[in-house]
Amino acid sequence: MATIAVLGGGYAGLRTVKRLVREKVNAHIVLVNKYPYHYESTQLHEVAAGTKKPSDITFDIREAVSDEVDVVIDTVASIDRANKKVLLEKSGPLSYDYLVNALGFETETFGIKGVEENSLSFYDIDSAVAVHEHLEKTLANYATSHDENDLHIVVCGAGFTGIELLGELVHQIPAWTQKYALPEGGIKLYCIEAGKKILPMLPEELSKWAVDYLTEHGVEMHSGTAITQVNPGSVMGGDLEFRANTIIWTTGVRGSHVICDSGYDQKRNRVIVKDDLSVEGQPEEFLIGDVSALPDPASGRLYPTTAQIAIAQADAAAVNVAALVAGNPTKPFVFKSVGTVCSLGPHCGVATIDMFGHWKLKGHKVGLVKKLVNDRSVLELAHVKEMLASN
Ligand SMILES: Cc1cc2nc3c(=O)[nH]c(=O)nc-3n(C[C@H](O)[C@H](O)[C@H](O)COP(=O)(O)OP(=O)(O)OC[C@H]3O[C@@H](n4cnc5c(N)ncnc54)[C@H](O)[C@@H]3O)c2cc1C
């Protein structure tokens, strides 16, 4: 019997194994993930800001997948593609006949000096918890230090992650001010972004609404300001120095380092895949989610790295692997977006929805949309019990 190895238990990997089981593929399915739990990457900023607990956005992988799937909790070190073996940190090599690589994203620093040493970023549960603990500790420290930089927070980057994080931080300010008896208006939030336009993927009126919302809630937005260096306690951007004892880096993502460590032809650890999501010259190997790069035939630009696309690619890859196992041809990946949601704290946000027409939404109703999207994801990746438990 053939072995299908699926690497990564994020949106893409978990959905792949679920779909393979549904397709009744005649093969041995192995899912490898670093942690025994799945985490909702789209909600990591909420754990970082402390508006959600890790247990709100995680569930046990073994309980979520069918008994037909072998779950291996281990870290992929690299892939010996010539010999079709996955090299793991703790266990022996895993041989495969088909591979679905869904190892996901890491933080991109763009080689800017001091970023790794002097800023915090979040890309999994532990790193998100570390950001939250740093925030609480630094705010608490003000009582003894009276150093105003303990109350200053710089968010580097105004993409979705940076803006969504700022929304959560804004929401937390009143509670933190009360908890640590801070001066009213003492917590200062800065956002520094190299691009001139914030949230360029959204229509102008929605991105403006988001920026106005954050500005009205005390965020100082600095767009068109390229960060040149991060020092201990300060960020250099344009001609300005932003002093803060909390610096959070959210300027973008690259794929897993396992990609370049395994000799793929890659850019920022993303591999251009064929339209059926397989790798050129390796029909048994599929890359999906944030490690893959596929041009959108409509625009010619690469699809963005989103959970929505990762999940759609997982379905397509699983169907294609099942077709190969059965000796049938593969089909091209087709994607239709259902819209984009950018939250601004737990109860607010902006969104475009492409279902039953084209809708532009802003304000409190978007909080409900985001919750429905998140619940649907938990529902589809785990099961109803988990979704109800997270309410
Ligand atoms: C704060 C934030 C908010 C976002 N909001 C949205 C949103 O609203 N909508 C949207 O569509 N997208 C959103 N995104 C993007 C989305 O989260 C990613 O595109 C998505 O997570 C990609 O899914 P994936 O399965 O490819 O990777 P991941 O979710 O990164 O999953 C990768 C999995 O692989 C595991 N893994 C990693 N390395 C190894 C290794 N070496 N060995 C074993 N296992 C490993 C990880 O533990 C993880 O389980 C957001 C991202 C962030 C950070």
Side-chain angles (χ1 to χ4, degrees):
M1 190 186 261
T3 295
I4 305 170
V6 179
L7 310 183
Y11 293 101
L14 202 48
R15 177 71 166 222
T16 301
V17 296
K18 293 205 145 224
R19 185 65 191 252
L20 284 169
V21 170
R22 221 171 86 194
E23 293 294 315
K24 299 193 183 348
V25 64
N26 184 24
H28 173 216
I29 306 167
V30 186
L31 172 66
V32 183
N33 194 56
K34 202 191 264 188
Y35 306 109
Y37 54 83
H38 163 90
Y39 52 87
E40 301 272 326
S41 303
T42 59
Q43 297 175 62
L44 284 172
H45 59 293
E46 294 166 72
V47 172
T51 48
K52 277 198 176 153
K53 297 190 295 297
S55 58
D56 295 333
I57 71 159
T58 51
F59 54 79
D60 190 294
I61 289 183
R62 280 202 175 91
E63 282 183 16
V65 299
S66 149
D67 292 343
E68 292 162 51
V69 177
D70 265 342
V71 178
V72 175
I73 304 305
D74 207 335
T75 301
V76 176
S78 66
I79 304 157
D80 175 355
R81 298 169 62 219
N83 295 304
K84 295 195 192 164
K85 285 185 199 314
V86 179
L87 306 179
L88 301 168
E89 283 188 358
K90 290 186 287 209
S91 338
L94 166 66
S95 297
Y96 63 85
D97 300 287
Y98 301 93
L99 182 75
V100 181
N101 186 333
L103 287 172
F105 69 91
E106 292 177 359
T107 303
E108 177 61 278
T109 64
F110 300 102
I112 295 172
K113 215 170 146 198
V115 174
E116 275 178 33
E117 306 85 321
N118 302 316
S119 69
L120 299 160
S121 60
F122 51 94
Y123 41 85
D124 60 10
I125 290 291
D126 291 349
S127 56
V129 167
V131 171
H132 179 226
E133 286 176 354
H134 175 92
L135 276 163
E136 298 277 351
K137 195 179 84 196
T138 310
L139 295 172
N141 194 49
Y142 178 78
T144 47
S145 72
H146 299 293
D147 175 359
E148 62 179 20
N149 293 325
D150 279 343
L151 306 185
H152 293 185
I153 302 166
V154 174
V155 173
C156 303
F160 266 87
T161 303
I163 294 294
E164 290 200 318
L165 174 67
L166 284 162
E168 302 299 318
L169 294 174
V170 154
H171 174 82
Q172 289 285 59
I173 286 179
W176 279 332
T177 303
Q178 192 182 26
K179 180 174 176 186
Y180 296 115
L182 302 175
E184 222 31 71
I187 298 179
K188 294 240 167 9
L189 291 171
Y190 301 93
C191 176
I192 313 174
E193 164 62 43
K196 285 226 168 7
K197 191 167 181 284
I198 309 279
L199 300 176
M201 63 300 280
L202 286 175
E204 178 72 29
E205 68 177 272
L206 294 186
S207 54
K208 183 176 176 320
W209 197 90
V211 171
D212 289 349
Y213 176 89
L214 292 174
T215 309
E216 279 159 22
H217 286 79
V219 180
E220 216 179 280
M221 302 291 296
H222 291 265
S223 57
T225 306
I227 295 170
T228 49
Q229 189 165 328
V230 181
N231 301 313
S234 83
V235 180
M236 307 304 296
D239 301 334
L240 302 171
E241 180 180 23
F242 298 86
R243 297 185 61 76
N245 287 343
T246 301
I247 300 168
I248 309 174
W249 191 259
T250 74
T251 63
V253 295
R254 60 181 176 227
S256 161
H257 66 277
V258 171
I259 295 296
C260 69
D261 294 351
S262 306
Y264 285 96
D265 183 9
Q266 51 77 34
K267 198 169 172 196
R268 291 173 60 195
N269 294 338
R270 295 179 75 198
V271 180
I272 299 272
V273 290
K274 291 173 60 183
D275 64 0
D276 68 353
L277 306 174
S278 69
V279 183
E280 187 67 53
Q282 308 268 170
E284 76 291 350
E285 235 186 89
F286 291 77
L287 277 100
I288 57 172
D290 285 6
V291 291
S292 81
L294 179 69
D296 174 353
S299 67
R301 290 201 301 271
L302 295 180
Y303 282 114
T305 50
T306 70
Q308 196 188 147
I309 291 172
I311 289 170
Q313 289 186 332
D315 279 333
V319 168
N320 280 342
V321 172
L324 290 179
V325 172
N328 295 324
T330 59
K331 290 191 183 137
F333 168 69
V334 181
F335 178 67
K336 176 152 178 8
S337 171
V338 292
T340 304
V341 183
C342 178
S343 64
L344 296 165
H347 312 297
C348 190
V350 287
T352 57
I353 306 292
D354 298 314
M355 274 191 307
F356 312 113
H358 182 69
W359 306 87
K360 291 181 200 163
L361 305 177
K362 49 185 182 275
H364 287 280
K365 43 192 173 291
V366 177
L368 183 65
V369 173
K370 181 93 181 178
K371 181 160 170 45
L372 287 175
V373 171
N374 289 337
D375 283 355
R376 189 166 161 243
S377 151
V378 175
L379 177 68
E380 287 181 357
L381 290 174
H383 38 59
V384 185
K385 192 170 78 107
E386 293 289 348
M387 186 191 78
L388 296 177
S390 73
N391 282 330

